[in-house]
Amino acid sequence: IYHTAEDEQRPKYYCLDFFRYPSGDGLHVGHCRNYVPTDVISRYKRMRGFNVLHPMGWDAFGEPAEQFAIHHNVHPRVTTDQNTANFRHQYRIIGASYDWSREIDTSQPEYYRWTQWFFLKMYQRGLVYRDTNWQWWCPTCQTTLSSHEAAGGTCWRGHPGVTRREIPAWYFRITAYADELLSGLDEIDWPEPIKAMQRAWIGRSEGCEIIFTTEQGEAIPVFTTRPDTIYGVTFFALAPEHPWVHKFTSPEQQAPVERYLQAAVMSSDRERSREERPKTGVFTGGYVIHPLTQQPIPVWVADYVLTTYGSGAVMGVPAHDGRDHAFAEQYAIPIRSVVKADGEGGDQTQTAYPGMGQMIHSGIYDGMENTQAAAQIALDLQRRGAGGTKVAYKMRDWLISRQRYWGTPIPIVHCPRCGVVPVPEDQLPVVLPAMEQFKPDGSGQSPLARTAEFAHVACPTCGTPAHREYDTMGGFACSAWYYTRFASPHFEHGPFEPQALRKWLPVDLYVGGAEHAVLHLLYARFWTKVMADEGLVPFREPFTQLKNQGQLLAPDGQRMSKSRGNVITPDAMVAEYGADALRLYEMFMAPFDQDIQWNLDGIQGMRRFLVKVWRLYQDTWQPATVYQGSDPQLERARHKTMRLVSERIDGFRFNTMVSALMEFVNLLSERARQGTWHTVEYQESLETLLVIMAPAAPHICEELWMLTGHNYSVHQQIWPNWDEELARSANLEI
Ligand code: ANZ
Ligand code: ZN
């Protein structure tokens, strides 16, 4: 017997599922494609001698939970507690072996006081700031969104019609870690598509900053990857949100510019940067001065220029940039070629030429290769104080303010005398008041502003009557560090107990859906790096290995959803076929990461398989010690099966792990049919099968383990070792 209690001698294994937000819908069988394999791995690792941490908790704060509560007109505290009870029940019936003594709930003050504590740490490190800006605004959720959450013009919850508002909000300076977020990807074992999405999201681009000047001599920089095209600049374009638009706008152009601005800011960045989108803009009436020719260049406003990238302004080079070309054609702006392709005349202006070649119409740089000229021009500009090399990132800072009730209150006080004052650490948590009227009222302000007891406080510094920050943090703040809390979930003197943290973290295996590629998974990496710089954790990447399960579609080929009425619940399947049949089918249906459709025949087949296993033990298990004959072939098959099952669990090949078990059972059935089951090899095989099938089908294996006279529990057995020689030479005859 093997003791699975924690033991300091053993290595650790931290196997984490994405924790859940406690929606009212509960689990459907699609979710089990995540939870069953991780449970199998956890059980397997325990039997292989690891201390395994396999916890579950609730991502309870945030818009999904609050939207659900609003929809059902019940307080989110009530719905959250109801829903978590349902989830807990569902996890239990599918046999998930979570350590429920470590359950956490991000909406409890014992948890969110540490979310607030981290906010203060970041504040001290200069990683938190407040800024008034154009924010993404979801009219359905009635709250601001981060650019991540608003990508594509749809709210991350699926609501269309995301627009923009100009409001003050709090940000985490995630861009300070852009380079490390990029380079860290090389060290972790994550699916390549997720890494690619993070790289694209960070969007590092090496180029050059070039400083143009206003007619009054003020500097206005642009970011360009093509300084070699500087003599081809025929216009200058500002993003509609650029703060200097008004400075350039002449009295005559006032009205058209205003009209343009109002329309422009409402479309999303992605829409605005679509290559095929017709280019629009308006002339401001103003000019900038070209840094090398000193010529005046007309300043336009154009919405294909994003305020969120580079400096929010571009030097327009229609001869060599596709978008600038389309724009110039639209507004009859001159097109001036400055790089010619080999063997070309160079002055064609029908389309943009983005390629390499020889410099023309570029003063002293004429005749040079353009790549060489680019470096030279960057250098010359730098000498004159008119620019230099620069790296730009597509990624923006992380907007965390939400004008919503159901979130972690931001621990800040606004004092008429002292300004912004962070709440002192010893006054945490700032408790979310229990409000009956928690719904947004359409004012755009957080409901917390309406609670006098919460809102009014004495300034922690000077005692003057002041008011609290009303915004709460978006739910992604809570989930950015939860994986550390599981190490010591009840610790009261910090977010985690340092010893426990060192023992369990980082997470060895993290499993969940691919839809979190750039939200949660990027935020958590950022938070970890801050924790590391704060000296709190001895690692810089939280999740050593990441796996994304494939999607399970309904039998009609659609996504399972309540609204479509095609949801299949584990509750119904467990009631009808048993948890083990469900588990085996979840693994057997397809490779772990492949999308697949639910098929009732599949689970019925698994049920039949388990009945067959059951009969085998009823009919042929022999407690006596009198054996007849020997069966070397079966012995080889036994060793081979031990090896295959182990390798396939390790390699995330759960479907073929199940087929290895099935082949072995077929072999045993054959012996049973032929009456050649009185051998010691056969009886040993029956015993081995229960042990190696226990992670996949824990209930039936435990039951048969007991019925065949063993002591509790099959799950505390040592995983068997196989003989490589025997395992190799086996030929399975089916
Ligand atoms: C002049 C130029 C000439 C450009 C040329 C390109 C080709 P990546 O590679 O994605 O970093 N740009 C700069 N800031 C922008 C903004 N805020 N919104 C929209 N476009 C912006 O792209 C860098 C190029 O994107 C920059 O180089 C700039 O156009 C444009 F033949 O400058 B380029
Ligand atoms: Zn004060």
Side-chain angles (χ1 to χ4, degrees):
I1 289 190
Y2 188 86
H3 295 278
T4 50
E6 279 179 46
D7 171 345
E8 292 311 319
Q9 303 305 311
R10 303 210 175 106
K12 66 96 179 179
Y13 192 77
Y14 186 176
C15 175
L16 183 63
D17 295 312
F18 286 20
F19 73 163
R20 281 219 68 83
Y21 78 80
S23 76
D25 295 344
L27 296 180
H28 59 62
V29 288
H31 299 117
C32 300
R33 288 199 73 195
N34 175 345
Y35 304 127
V36 169
T38 51
D39 189 63
V40 170
I41 294 213
S42 298
R43 290 174 180 275
Y44 165 74
K45 290 279 183 185
R46 285 187 202 108
M47 294 171 84
R48 293 219 79 154
F50 287 82
N51 289 329
V52 173
L53 178 55
H54 188 41
M56 181 46 73
W58 315 110
D59 191 8
F61 264 153
E63 291 85 350
E66 187 169 11
Q67 250 359 83
F68 178 84
I70 290 174
H71 189 72
H72 291 84
N73 207 17
V74 193
H75 194 277
R77 178 76 271 152
V78 176
T79 54
T80 300
D81 293 344
Q82 281 168 357
N83 296 345
T84 54
N86 181 44
F87 275 110
R88 230 178 278 115
H89 167 74
Q90 289 186 303
Y91 283 125
R92 215 188 58 232
I93 61 172
I94 65 169
S97 60
Y98 295 124
D99 179 351
W100 288 109
S101 74
R102 290 177 187 260
E103 178 180 359
I104 59 176
D105 174 341
T106 60
S107 67
Q108 297 292 352
E110 304 83 69
Y111 182 90
Y112 67 70
R113 81 174 280 180
W114 303 112
T115 311
Q116 293 171 336
W117 184 83
F118 279 120
F119 178 98
L120 296 175
K121 293 283 170 221
M122 295 215 210
Y123 188 89
Q124 286 155 14
R125 300 186 73 82
L127 293 171
V128 176
Y129 63 93
R130 192 167 191 246
D131 195 11
T132 298
N133 229 322
W134 284 95
Q135 316 292 0
W136 292 106
W137 177 266
C138 174
T140 313
C141 297
Q142 293 199 28
T143 183
T144 49
L145 303 171
S146 72
S147 58
H148 304 192
E149 290 165 340
T154 327
C155 151
W156 66 291
R157 300 273 301 129
H159 308 129
V162 167
T163 63
R164 310 246 263 171
R165 284 195 175 187
E166 209 167 10
I167 14 187
W170 291 94
Y171 291 85
F172 285 144
R173 209 181 292 281
I174 188 173
T175 52
Y177 286 83
D179 276 323
E180 205 203 325
L181 287 169
L182 202 57
S183 61
L185 290 172
D186 298 334
E187 296 159 27
I188 47 184
D189 178 8
W190 286 24
E192 213 34 65
I194 302 279
K195 290 190 186 184
M197 279 167 83
Q198 292 212 348
R199 283 194 192 101
W201 188 266
I202 296 163
R204 186 178 197 276
S205 180
E206 286 181 13
C208 181
E209 182 174 75
I210 298 183
I211 296 172
F212 288 67
T213 44
T214 65
E215 289 172 304
Q216 292 74 41
E218 295 155 295
I220 178 163
V222 296
F223 173 74
T224 179
T225 45
R226 295 290 305 274
D228 52 310
T229 64
I230 180 122
Y231 284 87
V233 175
T234 55
F235 70 96
F236 192 92
L238 300 174
E241 302 88 345
H242 197 290
W244 285 15
V245 168
H246 298 284
K247 190 190 296 242
F248 286 109
T249 305
S250 63
E252 310 81 72
Q253 288 301 91
Q254 197 78 41
V257 167
E258 280 308 327
R259 259 199 313 279
Y260 185 76
L261 295 187
Q262 289 197 352
V265 293
M266 289 308 168
S267 26
S268 72
D269 282 10
R270 190 191 291 184
E271 170 63 18
R272 281 165 54 173
S273 35
R274 259 181 51 224
E275 206 69 45
E276 323 79 62
R277 187 170 190 253
K279 300 288 171 284
T280 62
V282 59
F283 179 46
T284 61
Y287 294 86
V288 288
I289 305 300
H290 189 288
L292 295 182
T293 67
Q294 313 302 327
Q295 294 296 309
I297 307 284
V299 177
W300 291 67
V301 183
D303 76 0
Y304 75 93
V305 182
L306 306 178
T307 183
T308 50
Y309 190 57
S311 66
V314 301
M315 57 181 221
V317 185
H320 302 289
D321 180 87
R323 291 176 303 173
D324 295 349
H325 191 272
F327 189 78
E329 287 215 308
Q330 174 74 19
Y331 297 106
I333 296 170
I335 300 175
R336 188 184 150 92
S337 280
V338 291
V339 178
K340 82 176 178 71
D342 287 343
E344 298 276 332
D347 282 323
Q348 60 90 21
T349 54
Q350 289 308 98
T351 55
Y353 173 65
M356 303 294 114
Q358 214 177 58
M359 300 289 292
I360 53 172
H361 307 313
S362 297
I364 57 167
Y365 305 99
D366 279 359
M368 287 170 88
E369 284 304 314
N370 76 306
T371 43
Q372 201 189 343
Q376 191 60 48
I377 289 171
L379 202 66
D380 292 349
L381 286 168
Q382 188 166 17
R383 285 209 194 97
R384 295 159 169 246
T389 55
K390 183 181 160 150
V391 177
Y393 298 91
K394 298 254 151 61
M395 181 169 67
R396 310 322 319 157
D397 279 334
W398 170 9
L399 183 154
I400 52 154
S401 281
R402 297 293 178 274
Q403 292 70 37
R404 293 299 293 260
Y405 168 67
W406 195 238
T408 302
I410 291 177
I412 289 285
V413 170
H414 298 276
C415 168
R417 280 219 223 142
C418 316
V420 165
V421 181
V423 173
E425 256 177 52
D426 58 12
Q427 291 175 26
L428 297 181
V430 176
V431 176
L432 186 69
M435 289 176 74
E436 284 305 315
Q437 301 302 322
F438 62 88
K439 295 178 197 174
D441 60 3
S443 66
Q445 222 185 24
S446 163
L448 292 181
R450 305 196 298 260
T451 345
E453 319 85 77
F454 176 84
H456 302 306
V457 283
C459 167
T461 308
C462 73
T464 306
H467 74 86
R468 286 195 192 280
E469 171 64 48
Y470 307 133
D471 288 355
T472 54
M473 295 186 222
F476 285 113
C478 312
S479 58
W481 70 277
Y482 80 100
Y483 44 91
T484 61
R485 185 69 181 165
F486 282 126
S488 49
H490 312 295
F491 190 58
E492 289 176 358
H493 310 290
F496 38 75
E497 195 275 305
Q499 289 291 347
L501 180 102
R502 243 167 264 271
K503 172 172 173 182
W504 289 114
L505 274 286
V507 174
D508 297 283
L509 173 65
Y510 197 29
V511 181
E515 67 276 12
H516 288 291
V518 285
L519 293 162
H520 165 58
L521 288 173
L522 197 63
Y523 294 146
R525 294 183 60 223
F526 159 65
W527 204 288
T528 294
K529 292 174 195 310
V530 177
M531 292 193 285
D533 285 343
E534 189 68 28
L536 294 167
V537 302
F539 51 87
R540 302 192 71 85
E541 289 289 343
F543 314 124
T544 309
Q545 187 185 28
L546 175 76
K547 292 277 187 187
N548 305 124
Q549 76 275 9
Q551 233 195 85
L552 180 59
L553 303 170
D556 57 8
Q558 305 277 342
R559 278 185 72 117
M560 278 189 202
S561 79
K562 259 216 164 130
S563 55
R564 290 205 182 88
N566 59 2
V567 169
I568 298 171
T569 64
D571 311 58
M573 293 300 110
V574 169
E576 179 97 27
Y577 303 103
D580 290 342
L582 174 66
R583 292 168 65 103
L584 290 176
Y585 177 50
E586 292 280 347
M587 292 185 280
F588 188 64
M589 57 172 64
F592 170 78
D593 55 0
Q594 210 169 80
D595 293 351
I596 184 79
Q597 234 163 283
W598 177 266
N599 176 354
L600 207 54
D601 295 345
I603 192 169
Q604 286 164 346
M606 287 304 152
R607 166 86 191 177
R608 282 194 298 275
F609 167 69
L610 290 172
V611 169
K612 185 163 151 184
V613 170
W614 184 263
R615 292 237 174 89
L616 210 55
Y617 285 82
Q618 298 297 319
D619 298 347
T620 63
W621 180 68
Q622 145 180 310
T625 47
V626 190
Y627 302 114
Q628 294 167 17
S630 77
D631 194 340
Q633 191 207 11
L634 186 64
E635 182 63 0
R636 287 197 297 274
R638 186 172 76 97
H639 283 270
K640 182 168 182 181
T641 307
M642 289 190 262
R643 195 194 73 199
L644 290 181
V645 168
S646 313
E647 285 177 355
R648 289 171 181 180
I649 294 177
D650 283 326
F652 258 75
R653 299 196 304 276
F654 301 98
N655 56 333
T656 57
M657 179 270 287
V658 175
S659 49
L661 290 170
M662 293 169 108
E663 285 181 23
F664 189 50
V665 168
N666 281 343
L667 204 63
L668 294 174
S669 304
E670 199 180 86
R671 299 288 188 278
R673 226 175 317 130
Q674 293 165 349
T676 54
W677 49 273
H678 301 278
T679 63
V680 66
E681 290 85 357
Y682 182 90
Q683 296 303 324
E684 270 179 21
S685 291
L686 286 186
E687 188 163 88
T688 301
L689 177 64
L690 292 183
V691 175
I692 62 177
M693 197 162 84
H699 308 87
I700 192 172
C701 290
E702 186 72 280
E703 189 73 8
L704 289 171
W705 188 251
M706 192 196 79
L707 292 178
T708 52
H710 295 90
N711 287 331
Y712 184 82
S713 154
V714 72
H715 301 293
Q716 292 173 341
Q717 300 310 304
I718 299 175
W719 192 259
N721 277 321
W722 59 93
D723 180 319
E724 277 301 343
E725 197 52 44
L726 285 172
R728 205 181 359 257
S729 57
N731 271 323
L732 288 192
E733 262 175 50
I734 308 293

